[in-house]
mmCIF file of all heavy atoms in Angstrom:
data_model
loop_
_atom_site.group_PDB
_atom_site.id
_atom_site.type_symbol
_atom_site.label_atom_id
_atom_site.label_comp_id
_atom_site.label_asym_id
_atom_site.label_seq_id
_atom_site.Cartn_x
_atom_site.Cartn_y
_atom_site.Cartn_z
ATOM 1 N N GLU A 1 -14.619 -34.091 14.502
ATOM 2 C CA GLU A 1 -15.219 -35.207 15.002
ATOM 3 C C GLU A 1 -16.100 -35.970 13.982
ATOM 4 O O GLU A 1 -16.981 -35.321 13.309
ATOM 5 C CB GLU A 1 -16.087 -34.962 16.178
ATOM 6 C CG GLU A 1 -15.536 -34.943 17.506
ATOM 7 C CD GLU A 1 -16.523 -34.686 18.600
ATOM 8 O OE1 GLU A 1 -17.663 -34.636 18.281
ATOM 9 O OE2 GLU A 1 -15.987 -34.464 19.781
ATOM 10 N N PHE A 2 -15.929 -37.218 13.757
ATOM 11 C CA PHE A 2 -16.637 -38.066 12.769
ATOM 12 C C PHE A 2 -17.587 -38.818 13.464
ATOM 13 O O PHE A 2 -17.395 -39.582 14.420
ATOM 14 C CB PHE A 2 -15.665 -39.003 11.947
ATOM 15 C CG PHE A 2 -14.804 -38.269 10.966
ATOM 16 C CD1 PHE A 2 -13.733 -37.484 11.279
ATOM 17 C CD2 PHE A 2 -15.114 -38.483 9.602
ATOM 18 C CE1 PHE A 2 -12.951 -36.936 10.377
ATOM 19 C CE2 PHE A 2 -14.322 -37.911 8.640
ATOM 20 C CZ PHE A 2 -13.144 -37.120 9.087
ATOM 21 N N HIS A 3 -18.959 -38.651 13.095
ATOM 22 C CA HIS A 3 -20.045 -39.309 13.704
ATOM 23 C C HIS A 3 -20.839 -40.122 12.646
ATOM 24 O O HIS A 3 -20.845 -39.699 11.395
ATOM 25 C CB HIS A 3 -21.080 -38.304 14.398
ATOM 26 C CG HIS A 3 -20.382 -37.701 15.518
ATOM 27 N ND1 HIS A 3 -20.789 -37.976 16.864
ATOM 28 C CD2 HIS A 3 -19.650 -36.545 15.537
ATOM 29 C CE1 HIS A 3 -20.121 -37.095 17.594
ATOM 30 N NE2 HIS A 3 -19.430 -36.222 16.856
ATOM 31 N N ASN A 4 -21.403 -41.202 12.932
ATOM 32 C CA ASN A 4 -22.443 -41.907 12.104
ATOM 33 C C ASN A 4 -23.710 -41.162 12.223
ATOM 34 O O ASN A 4 -24.206 -40.666 13.257
ATOM 35 C CB ASN A 4 -22.597 -43.287 12.600
ATOM 36 C CG ASN A 4 -21.368 -44.177 12.365
ATOM 37 O OD1 ASN A 4 -20.884 -44.459 11.224
ATOM 38 N ND2 ASN A 4 -20.796 -44.551 13.531
ATOM 39 N N ASP A 5 -24.427 -40.877 10.984
ATOM 40 C CA ASP A 5 -25.536 -40.063 10.964
ATOM 41 C C ASP A 5 -26.458 -40.574 9.863
ATOM 42 O O ASP A 5 -26.063 -41.461 9.146
ATOM 43 C CB ASP A 5 -25.254 -38.659 10.921
ATOM 44 C CG ASP A 5 -26.350 -37.693 11.366
ATOM 45 O OD1 ASP A 5 -27.339 -38.236 11.831
ATOM 46 O OD2 ASP A 5 -26.192 -36.459 11.217
ATOM 47 N N LYS A 6 -27.627 -39.876 9.693
ATOM 48 C CA LYS A 6 -28.493 -40.196 8.594
ATOM 49 C C LYS A 6 -28.941 -38.897 7.875
ATOM 50 O O LYS A 6 -29.146 -37.968 8.745
ATOM 51 C CB LYS A 6 -29.715 -41.020 9.103
ATOM 52 C CG LYS A 6 -29.329 -42.492 9.447
ATOM 53 C CD LYS A 6 -30.624 -43.335 9.839
ATOM 54 C CE LYS A 6 -30.305 -44.640 10.210
ATOM 55 N NZ LYS A 6 -31.453 -45.438 10.575
ATOM 56 N N THR A 7 -29.312 -38.891 6.849
ATOM 57 C CA THR A 7 -29.957 -37.784 6.040
ATOM 58 C C THR A 7 -31.424 -37.628 6.494
ATOM 59 O O THR A 7 -31.910 -38.564 7.062
ATOM 60 C CB THR A 7 -29.885 -37.891 4.537
ATOM 61 O OG1 THR A 7 -30.551 -38.978 4.181
ATOM 62 C CG2 THR A 7 -28.330 -38.152 4.161
ATOM 63 N N ILE A 8 -32.035 -36.528 6.057
ATOM 64 C CA ILE A 8 -33.474 -36.433 6.283
ATOM 65 C C ILE A 8 -34.247 -37.571 5.547
ATOM 66 O O ILE A 8 -35.418 -37.816 5.883
ATOM 67 C CB ILE A 8 -33.975 -35.121 5.824
ATOM 68 C CG1 ILE A 8 -33.768 -34.907 4.192
ATOM 69 C CG2 ILE A 8 -33.349 -33.989 6.617
ATOM 70 C CD1 ILE A 8 -34.250 -33.526 3.819
ATOM 71 N N ASN A 9 -33.689 -38.240 4.562
ATOM 72 C CA ASN A 9 -34.415 -39.331 3.847
ATOM 73 C C ASN A 9 -34.002 -40.600 4.467
ATOM 74 O O ASN A 9 -34.413 -41.629 3.903
ATOM 75 C CB ASN A 9 -33.864 -39.309 2.415
ATOM 76 C CG ASN A 9 -34.370 -37.948 1.620
ATOM 77 O OD1 ASN A 9 -35.395 -37.477 1.933
ATOM 78 N ND2 ASN A 9 -33.446 -37.552 0.797
ATOM 79 N N GLY A 10 -33.368 -40.645 5.630
ATOM 80 C CA GLY A 10 -33.077 -41.981 6.220
ATOM 81 C C GLY A 10 -31.884 -42.699 5.668
ATOM 82 O O GLY A 10 -31.551 -43.809 6.164
ATOM 83 N N LYS A 11 -31.015 -42.185 4.855
ATOM 84 C CA LYS A 11 -29.881 -42.743 4.272
ATOM 85 C C LYS A 11 -28.639 -42.325 5.105
ATOM 86 O O LYS A 11 -28.597 -41.348 5.707
ATOM 87 C CB LYS A 11 -29.611 -42.113 2.869
ATOM 88 C CG LYS A 11 -30.638 -42.567 1.875
ATOM 89 C CD LYS A 11 -30.404 -42.133 0.489
ATOM 90 C CE LYS A 11 -31.432 -42.654 -0.604
ATOM 91 N NZ LYS A 11 -30.934 -42.176 -1.888
ATOM 92 N N TYR A 12 -27.712 -43.262 5.127
ATOM 93 C CA TYR A 12 -26.461 -43.169 6.011
ATOM 94 C C TYR A 12 -25.681 -42.116 5.425
ATOM 95 O O TYR A 12 -25.580 -41.785 4.246
ATOM 96 C CB TYR A 12 -25.612 -44.437 5.996
ATOM 97 C CG TYR A 12 -24.376 -44.221 6.801
ATOM 98 C CD1 TYR A 12 -24.318 -44.420 8.137
ATOM 99 C CD2 TYR A 12 -23.201 -43.971 6.069
ATOM 100 C CE1 TYR A 12 -23.071 -44.328 8.906
ATOM 101 C CE2 TYR A 12 -22.081 -43.771 6.854
ATOM 102 C CZ TYR A 12 -21.987 -43.952 8.142
ATOM 103 O OH TYR A 12 -20.801 -43.660 8.789
ATOM 104 N N ARG A 13 -24.999 -41.289 6.352
ATOM 105 C CA ARG A 13 -24.030 -40.419 5.964
ATOM 106 C C ARG A 13 -23.133 -40.240 7.326
ATOM 107 O O ARG A 13 -23.467 -40.438 8.365
ATOM 108 C CB ARG A 13 -24.504 -39.039 5.531
ATOM 109 C CG ARG A 13 -25.103 -38.284 6.726
ATOM 110 C CD ARG A 13 -25.204 -36.738 6.351
ATOM 111 N NE ARG A 13 -25.381 -35.927 7.499
ATOM 112 C CZ ARG A 13 -25.251 -34.630 7.687
ATOM 113 N NH1 ARG A 13 -25.012 -33.969 6.546
ATOM 114 N NH2 ARG A 13 -25.409 -34.031 8.706
ATOM 115 N N THR A 14 -21.854 -39.700 6.938
ATOM 116 C CA THR A 14 -20.940 -39.273 8.125
ATOM 117 C C THR A 14 -21.247 -37.861 8.480
ATOM 118 O O THR A 14 -21.512 -37.009 7.477
ATOM 119 C CB THR A 14 -19.508 -39.268 7.669
ATOM 120 O OG1 THR A 14 -19.318 -38.742 6.492
ATOM 121 C CG2 THR A 14 -19.156 -40.824 7.621
ATOM 122 N N ASN A 15 -21.272 -37.600 9.765
ATOM 123 C CA ASN A 15 -21.465 -36.226 10.169
ATOM 124 C C ASN A 15 -20.182 -35.733 10.720
ATOM 125 O O ASN A 15 -19.610 -36.328 11.770
ATOM 126 C CB ASN A 15 -22.595 -36.114 11.185
ATOM 127 C CG ASN A 15 -22.940 -34.783 11.792
ATOM 128 O OD1 ASN A 15 -22.740 -33.831 10.843
ATOM 129 N ND2 ASN A 15 -23.492 -34.467 12.931
ATOM 130 N N ILE A 16 -19.642 -34.672 10.057
ATOM 131 C CA ILE A 16 -18.345 -34.230 10.470
ATOM 132 C C ILE A 16 -18.421 -32.867 11.112
ATOM 133 O O ILE A 16 -18.743 -31.924 10.390
ATOM 134 C CB ILE A 16 -17.362 -34.153 9.233
ATOM 135 C CG1 ILE A 16 -17.358 -35.625 8.609
ATOM 136 C CG2 ILE A 16 -16.000 -33.852 9.662
ATOM 137 C CD1 ILE A 16 -16.580 -35.721 7.210
ATOM 138 N N ILE A 17 -18.121 -32.700 12.330
ATOM 139 C CA ILE A 17 -18.316 -31.442 13.004
ATOM 140 C C ILE A 17 -17.028 -31.116 13.780
ATOM 141 O O ILE A 17 -16.148 -31.829 13.971
ATOM 142 C CB ILE A 17 -19.498 -31.469 14.037
ATOM 143 C CG1 ILE A 17 -19.161 -32.531 15.119
ATOM 144 C CG2 ILE A 17 -20.693 -31.842 13.424
ATOM 145 C CD1 ILE A 17 -20.225 -32.685 16.313
ATOM 146 N N THR A 18 -17.106 -29.881 14.219
ATOM 147 C CA THR A 18 -15.826 -29.479 15.068
ATOM 148 C C THR A 18 -15.696 -30.147 16.303
ATOM 149 O O THR A 18 -16.673 -30.526 17.096
ATOM 150 C CB THR A 18 -16.052 -27.937 15.446
ATOM 151 O OG1 THR A 18 -16.282 -27.116 14.294
ATOM 152 C CG2 THR A 18 -14.766 -27.363 16.160
ATOM 153 N N SER A 19 -14.509 -30.750 16.542
ATOM 154 C CA SER A 19 -14.232 -31.646 17.715
ATOM 155 C C SER A 19 -14.567 -30.705 19.012
ATOM 156 O O SER A 19 -14.375 -29.463 19.093
ATOM 157 C CB SER A 19 -12.779 -31.892 17.807
ATOM 158 O OG SER A 19 -12.388 -32.298 19.047
ATOM 159 N N ARG A 20 -15.398 -31.417 19.850
ATOM 160 C CA ARG A 20 -15.815 -30.683 21.089
ATOM 161 C C ARG A 20 -14.474 -30.089 21.895
ATOM 162 O O ARG A 20 -14.532 -28.971 22.498
ATOM 163 C CB ARG A 20 -16.443 -31.716 22.048
ATOM 164 C CG ARG A 20 -17.842 -32.056 21.472
ATOM 165 C CD ARG A 20 -18.658 -32.881 22.489
ATOM 166 N NE ARG A 20 -19.919 -33.252 22.084
ATOM 167 C CZ ARG A 20 -20.349 -34.256 21.352
ATOM 168 N NH1 ARG A 20 -19.439 -34.957 20.940
ATOM 169 N NH2 ARG A 20 -21.520 -34.491 21.034
ATOM 170 N N LYS A 21 -13.433 -30.892 21.867
ATOM 171 C CA LYS A 21 -12.207 -30.466 22.596
ATOM 172 C C LYS A 21 -11.645 -29.210 21.934
ATOM 173 O O LYS A 21 -11.297 -28.211 22.502
ATOM 174 C CB LYS A 21 -11.249 -31.627 22.356
ATOM 175 C CG LYS A 21 -9.847 -31.252 23.156
ATOM 176 C CD LYS A 21 -8.867 -32.334 23.082
ATOM 177 C CE LYS A 21 -7.507 -32.011 23.630
ATOM 178 N NZ LYS A 21 -6.547 -33.142 23.501
ATOM 179 N N LYS A 22 -11.631 -29.223 20.545
ATOM 180 C CA LYS A 22 -11.076 -28.095 19.831
ATOM 181 C C LYS A 22 -12.082 -26.884 19.959
ATOM 182 O O LYS A 22 -11.441 -25.724 20.100
ATOM 183 C CB LYS A 22 -10.937 -28.421 18.349
ATOM 184 C CG LYS A 22 -9.803 -29.327 18.042
ATOM 185 C CD LYS A 22 -8.447 -28.619 18.420
ATOM 186 C CE LYS A 22 -7.208 -29.480 18.025
ATOM 187 N NZ LYS A 22 -5.936 -28.915 18.395
ATOM 188 N N LEU A 23 -13.335 -27.093 19.816
ATOM 189 C CA LEU A 23 -14.377 -25.982 20.132
ATOM 190 C C LEU A 23 -14.165 -25.311 21.435
ATOM 191 O O LEU A 23 -14.105 -24.147 21.643
ATOM 192 C CB LEU A 23 -15.703 -26.527 20.033
ATOM 193 C CG LEU A 23 -16.866 -25.322 20.047
ATOM 194 C CD1 LEU A 23 -16.577 -24.351 18.944
ATOM 195 C CD2 LEU A 23 -18.232 -26.106 19.762
ATOM 196 N N LYS A 24 -13.885 -25.992 22.517
ATOM 197 C CA LYS A 24 -13.600 -25.556 23.915
ATOM 198 C C LYS A 24 -12.309 -24.708 23.867
ATOM 199 O O LYS A 24 -12.358 -23.554 24.447
ATOM 200 C CB LYS A 24 -13.477 -26.745 24.881
ATOM 201 C CG LYS A 24 -13.323 -26.260 26.358
ATOM 202 C CD LYS A 24 -13.150 -27.542 27.280
ATOM 203 C CE LYS A 24 -13.086 -26.982 28.656
ATOM 204 N NZ LYS A 24 -12.872 -28.221 29.518
ATOM 205 N N VAL A 25 -11.303 -25.113 23.123
ATOM 206 C CA VAL A 25 -10.013 -24.495 23.161
ATOM 207 C C VAL A 25 -10.307 -23.059 22.331
ATOM 208 O O VAL A 25 -9.798 -22.050 22.669
ATOM 209 C CB VAL A 25 -8.955 -25.312 22.331
ATOM 210 C CG1 VAL A 25 -7.747 -24.396 22.098
ATOM 211 C CG2 VAL A 25 -8.609 -26.439 23.223
ATOM 212 N N LYS A 26 -10.939 -23.166 21.245
ATOM 213 C CA LYS A 26 -11.198 -22.044 20.439
ATOM 214 C C LYS A 26 -12.012 -20.931 21.243
ATOM 215 O O LYS A 26 -11.772 -19.677 21.088
ATOM 216 C CB LYS A 26 -11.961 -22.449 19.160
ATOM 217 C CG LYS A 26 -11.103 -23.189 18.192
ATOM 218 C CD LYS A 26 -10.025 -22.362 17.604
ATOM 219 C CE LYS A 26 -9.236 -23.124 16.464
ATOM 220 N NZ LYS A 26 -8.126 -22.422 15.998
ATOM 221 N N ARG A 27 -13.068 -21.385 21.914
ATOM 222 C CA ARG A 27 -13.789 -20.484 22.834
ATOM 223 C C ARG A 27 -12.960 -19.834 23.943
ATOM 224 O O ARG A 27 -12.940 -18.582 24.084
ATOM 225 C CB ARG A 27 -14.949 -21.276 23.405
ATOM 226 C CG ARG A 27 -16.177 -21.568 22.501
ATOM 227 C CD ARG A 27 -17.069 -22.327 23.262
ATOM 228 N NE ARG A 27 -18.344 -22.508 22.498
ATOM 229 C CZ ARG A 27 -19.476 -23.092 22.991
ATOM 230 N NH1 ARG A 27 -19.507 -23.534 24.190
ATOM 231 N NH2 ARG A 27 -20.593 -23.147 22.262
ATOM 232 N N ALA A 28 -12.064 -20.585 24.488
ATOM 233 C CA ALA A 28 -11.217 -20.029 25.534
ATOM 234 C C ALA A 28 -10.195 -19.070 24.947
ATOM 235 O O ALA A 28 -9.919 -17.904 25.562
ATOM 236 C CB ALA A 28 -10.309 -21.228 26.197
ATOM 237 N N ASN A 29 -9.635 -19.244 23.712
ATOM 238 C CA ASN A 29 -8.739 -18.405 23.051
ATOM 239 C C ASN A 29 -9.465 -17.145 22.692
ATOM 240 O O ASN A 29 -8.942 -16.036 22.864
ATOM 241 C CB ASN A 29 -8.168 -19.006 21.793
ATOM 242 C CG ASN A 29 -7.209 -20.174 22.083
ATOM 243 O OD1 ASN A 29 -6.817 -20.276 23.138
ATOM 244 N ND2 ASN A 29 -6.982 -20.999 21.077
ATOM 245 N N ALA A 30 -10.749 -17.204 22.218
ATOM 246 C CA ALA A 30 -11.524 -16.054 21.860
ATOM 247 C C ALA A 30 -11.674 -15.188 23.092
ATOM 248 O O ALA A 30 -11.692 -13.946 23.030
ATOM 249 C CB ALA A 30 -12.855 -16.386 21.204
ATOM 250 N N ARG A 31 -12.058 -15.894 24.216
ATOM 251 C CA ARG A 31 -12.479 -15.098 25.435
ATOM 252 C C ARG A 31 -11.167 -14.374 25.900
ATOM 253 O O ARG A 31 -11.273 -13.158 26.364
ATOM 254 C CB ARG A 31 -12.878 -16.028 26.423
ATOM 255 C CG ARG A 31 -13.290 -15.402 27.764
ATOM 256 C CD ARG A 31 -13.889 -16.411 28.759
ATOM 257 N NE ARG A 31 -13.044 -17.473 29.164
ATOM 258 C CZ ARG A 31 -12.951 -18.720 28.863
ATOM 259 N NH1 ARG A 31 -13.886 -19.244 28.024
ATOM 260 N NH2 ARG A 31 -12.132 -19.547 29.243
ATOM 261 N N GLN A 32 -10.020 -15.037 25.846
ATOM 262 C CA GLN A 32 -8.793 -14.465 26.315
ATOM 263 C C GLN A 32 -8.389 -13.241 25.432
ATOM 264 O O GLN A 32 -7.926 -12.248 25.900
ATOM 265 C CB GLN A 32 -7.678 -15.522 26.389
ATOM 266 C CG GLN A 32 -7.759 -16.556 27.391
ATOM 267 C CD GLN A 32 -6.890 -17.718 27.414
ATOM 268 O OE1 GLN A 32 -5.906 -17.592 26.495
ATOM 269 N NE2 GLN A 32 -7.057 -18.705 28.049
ATOM 270 N N TRP A 33 -8.531 -13.326 24.168
ATOM 271 C CA TRP A 33 -8.325 -12.308 23.247
ATOM 272 C C TRP A 33 -9.146 -11.123 23.356
ATOM 273 O O TRP A 33 -8.625 -10.044 23.495
ATOM 274 C CB TRP A 33 -8.369 -12.799 21.707
ATOM 275 C CG TRP A 33 -7.920 -11.827 20.688
ATOM 276 C CD1 TRP A 33 -6.730 -11.694 20.276
ATOM 277 C CD2 TRP A 33 -8.608 -10.730 20.147
ATOM 278 N NE1 TRP A 33 -6.523 -10.719 19.416
ATOM 279 C CE2 TRP A 33 -7.778 -10.107 19.255
ATOM 280 C CE3 TRP A 33 -9.960 -10.325 20.241
ATOM 281 C CZ2 TRP A 33 -8.193 -8.855 18.556
ATOM 282 C CZ3 TRP A 33 -10.268 -9.213 19.522
ATOM 283 C CH2 TRP A 33 -9.452 -8.483 18.752
ATOM 284 N N ILE A 34 -10.396 -11.267 23.630
ATOM 285 C CA ILE A 34 -11.348 -10.222 23.832
ATOM 286 C C ILE A 34 -11.041 -9.580 25.172
ATOM 287 O O ILE A 34 -11.039 -8.346 25.266
ATOM 288 C CB ILE A 34 -12.795 -10.782 23.876
ATOM 289 C CG1 ILE A 34 -13.274 -11.309 22.435
ATOM 290 C CG2 ILE A 34 -13.821 -9.695 24.271
ATOM 291 C CD1 ILE A 34 -14.604 -11.892 22.408
ATOM 292 N N ARG A 35 -10.798 -10.337 26.155
ATOM 293 C CA ARG A 35 -10.334 -9.583 27.418
ATOM 294 C C ARG A 35 -9.264 -8.785 27.353
ATOM 295 O O ARG A 35 -9.018 -7.831 27.906
ATOM 296 C CB ARG A 35 -10.177 -10.791 28.489
ATOM 297 C CG ARG A 35 -9.864 -10.307 29.908
ATOM 298 C CD ARG A 35 -9.781 -11.309 30.823
ATOM 299 N NE ARG A 35 -9.546 -10.973 32.192
ATOM 300 C CZ ARG A 35 -9.430 -11.658 33.243
ATOM 301 N NH1 ARG A 35 -9.410 -13.062 33.147
ATOM 302 N NH2 ARG A 35 -9.179 -11.119 34.539
ATOM 303 N N LYS A 36 -8.178 -9.309 26.430
ATOM 304 C CA LYS A 36 -6.966 -8.565 26.299
ATOM 305 C C LYS A 36 -7.108 -7.275 25.513
ATOM 306 O O LYS A 36 -6.463 -6.252 25.815
ATOM 307 C CB LYS A 36 -5.894 -9.428 25.705
ATOM 308 C CG LYS A 36 -4.566 -8.829 25.423
ATOM 309 C CD LYS A 36 -3.625 -9.773 24.716
ATOM 310 C CE LYS A 36 -2.220 -9.124 24.586
ATOM 311 N NZ LYS A 36 -1.329 -10.097 23.844
ATOM 312 N N HIS A 37 -8.137 -7.268 24.546
ATOM 313 C CA HIS A 37 -8.205 -6.120 23.767
ATOM 314 C C HIS A 37 -9.532 -5.353 24.028
ATOM 315 O O HIS A 37 -9.948 -4.497 23.123
ATOM 316 C CB HIS A 37 -8.211 -6.638 22.307
ATOM 317 C CG HIS A 37 -6.965 -7.179 21.832
ATOM 318 N ND1 HIS A 37 -5.935 -6.424 21.236
ATOM 319 C CD2 HIS A 37 -6.444 -8.533 21.947
ATOM 320 C CE1 HIS A 37 -4.825 -7.195 20.993
ATOM 321 N NE2 HIS A 37 -5.118 -8.503 21.274
ATOM 322 N N MET A 38 -10.138 -5.542 25.135
ATOM 323 C CA MET A 38 -11.391 -4.909 25.364
ATOM 324 C C MET A 38 -11.341 -3.433 25.549
ATOM 325 O O MET A 38 -12.392 -2.772 25.259
ATOM 326 C CB MET A 38 -11.935 -5.433 26.662
ATOM 327 C CG MET A 38 -11.117 -5.237 27.854
ATOM 328 S SD MET A 38 -11.769 -5.829 29.488
ATOM 329 C CE MET A 38 -13.082 -4.714 29.825
ATOM 330 N N HIS A 39 -10.241 -2.816 25.619
ATOM 331 C CA HIS A 39 -10.091 -1.361 25.832
ATOM 332 C C HIS A 39 -9.641 -0.755 24.421
ATOM 333 O O HIS A 39 -9.627 0.465 24.380
ATOM 334 C CB HIS A 39 -9.121 -0.986 26.846
ATOM 335 C CG HIS A 39 -9.649 -1.443 28.220
ATOM 336 N ND1 HIS A 39 -10.741 -0.779 28.900
ATOM 337 C CD2 HIS A 39 -9.182 -2.229 29.057
ATOM 338 C CE1 HIS A 39 -10.791 -1.324 29.998
ATOM 339 N NE2 HIS A 39 -10.009 -2.343 30.185
ATOM 340 N N ASP A 40 -9.607 -1.623 23.361
ATOM 341 C CA ASP A 40 -9.265 -1.102 22.089
ATOM 342 C C ASP A 40 -10.503 -0.237 21.500
ATOM 343 O O ASP A 40 -11.601 -0.632 21.948
ATOM 344 C CB ASP A 40 -8.827 -2.127 21.105
ATOM 345 C CG ASP A 40 -7.546 -2.843 21.348
ATOM 346 O OD1 ASP A 40 -6.849 -2.352 22.446
ATOM 347 O OD2 ASP A 40 -7.190 -3.926 20.744
ATOM 348 N N PRO A 41 -10.183 0.688 20.584
ATOM 349 C CA PRO A 41 -11.418 1.316 19.922
ATOM 350 C C PRO A 41 -12.302 0.229 19.381
ATOM 351 O O PRO A 41 -11.779 -0.705 18.753
ATOM 352 C CB PRO A 41 -10.753 2.233 18.867
ATOM 353 C CG PRO A 41 -9.325 2.541 19.410
ATOM 354 C CD PRO A 41 -8.917 1.221 20.223
ATOM 355 N N LEU A 42 -13.644 0.365 19.534
ATOM 356 C CA LEU A 42 -14.528 -0.616 19.070
ATOM 357 C C LEU A 42 -14.404 -1.041 17.707
ATOM 358 O O LEU A 42 -14.342 -2.149 17.422
ATOM 359 C CB LEU A 42 -16.065 -0.044 19.358
ATOM 360 C CG LEU A 42 -17.097 -1.067 19.198
ATOM 361 C CD1 LEU A 42 -16.808 -2.370 20.070
ATOM 362 C CD2 LEU A 42 -18.450 -0.528 19.635
#
């Protein structure tokens, strides 16, 4: 995700972060993987 943002000095910069949609997908995938492998040796 590209956002308009400012530095601590008040200058313009782009803020580029993980897309909210993608982060949600990555979390879901991680949860499913952990659930599937929860009985594996730690």
Side-chain angles (χ1 to χ4, degrees):
E1 275 182 5
F2 286 72
H3 297 257
N4 294 293
D5 201 2
K6 291 182 179 181
T7 69
I8 57 174
N9 297 325
K11 295 182 179 180
Y12 175 86
R13 74 155 197 174
T14 50
N15 186 25
I16 309 171
I17 63 174
T18 308
S19 160
R20 290 184 177 87
K21 180 180 177 181
K22 287 294 181 180
L23 187 57
K24 184 179 179 181
V25 171
K26 292 294 182 179
R27 285 180 170 183
N29 291 341
R31 184 174 64 251
Q32 291 171 9
W33 187 91
I34 290 171
R35 185 176 180 180
K36 182 180 178 181
H37 294 273
M38 61 182 285
H39 295 291
D40 294 354
L42 185 56

